[in-house]
Amino acid sequence: MTAAPNTVRYFALIPAAGVGARMEAGSPKQYLPIAGKPMLRHAVDAFLASPLIAHTYIVVSADDGQIDGVVPEQGADHGVTVLRCGGATRMESILNGLHALHGSIAAHDQVLVHDAARPGLTPALIGKLIAEVGDHPAGGLLALPVVDTVKRAGPGAGGASMSAQTVPRDGLWLAQTPQMFSYALLHRALSEAPDPHAITDDASAVEALGLAPRLVEGHPRNLKVTLPRDIHTAELYLAHP
């Protein structure tokens, strides 16, 4: 995967070592079937269908026994490689993946980190992210502006939550993935994160460095499947590309 020194390449990195406890399923949620194929496969196929992506890497746990059945075609000729170096947390899996890629990806190459549980990604959204982030030094991410009224809950009787305050929604966005940063910036941000538990996404690690990633409007179809009810919603979107 050699390239001219100043040529920027785009690589996808999908952390897929989680167990998806909130799905209450018998296997990790990234392998649950959605619209006829495993959830993870939808995300992989979106990157493989994009001419902008040089290669896709999937980070799984060392003892993952399902990935080869989901992504049987692996290697440079197939556009996707599995890295068996997943960690205990999402952040650790991404950082392990970056370490594994050291030397094969240039510092200025761009890494698009995407949730395995977002099957609604499309090549068009990938292209939009790359085009609108451009050469912004702090990278950027897909996100959706908040359109509903936001309430801050307060304690109620019997432990129930009560509406305590309306929060202004101006300037509020819901983060999605992919989130795109240069290899060097992403590696530095995750390596220097003072509190890994406070890093809820890659952009928050970059923000901790005092930088402001660019927000690019995504699409509701790119939702994260977290609870069992989310599967039906995802399938509705996948039925209408």
Side-chain angles (χ1 to χ4, degrees), residues 93-117:
S93 292
I94 296 170
L95 197 52
N96 288 352
L98 294 177
H99 288 158
L101 298 176
H102 179 70
S104 61
I105 293 182
H108 64 272
D109 284 335
Q110 300 291 309
V111 180
L112 287 79
V113 182
H114 184 63
D115 295 329

Side-chain angles (χ1 to χ4, degrees), residues 141-172:
L141 63 149
L142 292 179
L144 290 176
V146 173
V147 295
D148 293 322
T149 298
V150 179
K151 300 288 187 180
R152 187 187 306 280
S161 295
M162 306 292 287
S163 176
Q165 182 183 7
T166 298
V167 179
R169 66 187 177 209
D170 294 344
L172 295 182

